[in-house]
Amino acid sequence: MHNVEITSDMLKNAGQYLGRLRQALDGFSHDGTKREHLWDMQNIHLITPYIQHIDDISIREFVQDVVNEFQQAVVPLQKELPRAVLQADFNDSNILIDPKSLKVIGVIDFGDMVYSCKVYDLAISMAYSMIKPLPNCSGTETAAAILQGYCQTNEISECERKILRICIASRLAISITLGALSIYKDPNNEYLKRHAQPGRNALRSFWTHDPPDVDSIFKNAIETGTSSKIETH
């Protein structure tokens, strides 16, 4: 998907596909997914020792703020959230599309699969969509297109909706921190440095976006998607 110009309709279609994928994974289990994984959002505390490697002080502070809020607002709810095996890396580099119809036809890379909170799959996809926002759209509005599509083929509870903003920011924070760790280990790698900036920009933009406005945009996407359900098989 990263090799084409992404549109709002493509993001909605990706969200629809993710909703179906989530349903399919609800019936899957494997002992190997029940593990402690650094990229698993429920283990966000594991990135704390590495935040120091973020060389931009303002981004470092954003990341620490996100981690703190996740621990305060989400961790106490984790036992109540629906759980299943997650694909855990649904982003444009892993999404396959038909070159003619531009519809999503598959997904690759299941190396990050974990048994965790289902809402994290949605948050991960929305987070990565913000790294390259749609033309004339904010990262929040771009991510809302995925959310709308997802709600056409799946459901999101009120509890999950309330923590969606912090979960999206948390995935960006994890990606930024582990990227900084990689740069620390390989400081002359210009490729890593170049690809770190878009994620940092996405977090800065999203985390400073007025929370009530974010909530309103996401609520509208959920209502629009829910009112135009698509049959799933």
Side-chain angles (χ1 to χ4, degrees):
M1 193 172 181
H2 70 287
N3 289 326
V4 298
E5 185 175 344
I6 297 175
T7 65
S8 178
D9 284 343
M10 290 173 66
L11 290 177
K12 290 173 187 174
N13 183 244
Q16 293 163 8
Y17 187 94
L18 178 60
R20 295 188 184 98
L21 177 63
R22 263 270 34 91
Q23 289 188 8
L25 287 174
D26 284 350
F28 175 77
S29 65
H30 192 285
D31 289 343
T33 63
K34 297 178 180 179
R35 54 176 174 150
E36 185 176 79
H37 186 42
L38 200 56
W39 285 88
D40 184 2
M41 220 177 293
Q42 67 181 338
N43 296 323
I44 197 169
H45 61 281
L46 296 177
I47 73 168
T48 302
Y50 310 122
I51 295 176
Q52 62 179 314
H53 298 307
I54 302 172
D55 56 7
D56 184 318
I57 295 176
S58 64
I59 295 298
R60 191 188 312 153
E61 291 175 347
F62 281 138
V63 168
Q64 188 62 66
D65 189 36
V66 169
V67 171
N68 291 342
E69 186 164 335
F70 185 93
Q71 291 178 320
Q72 293 170 10
V74 180
V75 170
L77 300 175
Q78 283 189 138
K79 291 184 178 180
E80 303 172 23
L81 295 172
R83 289 174 172 265
V85 173
L86 313 187
Q87 191 273 341
D89 201 13
F90 195 81
N91 67 74
D92 61 337
S93 293
N94 294 332
I95 297 171
L96 305 178
I97 62 169
D98 182 283
K100 293 183 179 180
S101 68
L102 297 181
K103 299 290 187 181
V104 178
I105 56 174
V107 61
I108 60 173
D109 193 352
F110 291 80
D112 286 324
M113 292 184 81
V114 289
Y115 181 81
S116 194
C117 302
K118 293 199 288 185
V119 69
Y120 297 162
D121 248 348
L122 175 60
I124 289 166
S125 180
M126 293 175 69
Y128 282 123
S129 74
M130 293 180 171
I131 293 176
K132 188 179 180 181
L134 294 170
N136 304 313
C137 289
S138 66
T140 304
E141 291 166 331
T142 300
I146 290 180
L147 178 59
Q148 180 179 326
Y150 182 90
C151 290
Q152 289 183 280
T153 56
N154 211 312
E155 297 179 355
I156 178 172
S157 70
E158 181 63 14
C159 181
E160 291 172 322
R161 183 194 66 77
K162 287 181 178 179
I163 63 171
L164 191 55
R165 171 179 170 271
I166 179 60
C167 290
I168 292 169
S170 295
R171 178 58 172 208
L172 290 171
I174 292 170
S175 180
I176 290 166
T177 303
L178 297 184
L181 176 62
S182 295
I183 292 171
Y184 169 75
K185 292 179 177 178
D186 188 4
N188 295 319
N189 192 319
E190 294 301 321
Y191 175 87
L192 291 174
K193 294 177 182 178
R194 186 169 61 253
H195 284 77
Q197 197 58 48
R200 296 181 178 195
N201 294 341
L203 179 62
R204 187 195 306 276
S205 176
F206 183 57
W207 200 237
T208 56
H209 192 153
D210 184 42
D213 190 41
V214 172
D215 191 54
S216 176
I217 291 170
F218 286 171
K219 271 187 175 181
N220 183 64
I222 292 170
E223 290 171 0
T224 303
T226 302
S227 66
S228 54
K229 285 287 189 181
I230 297 173
E231 289 293 328
T232 57
H233 301 284

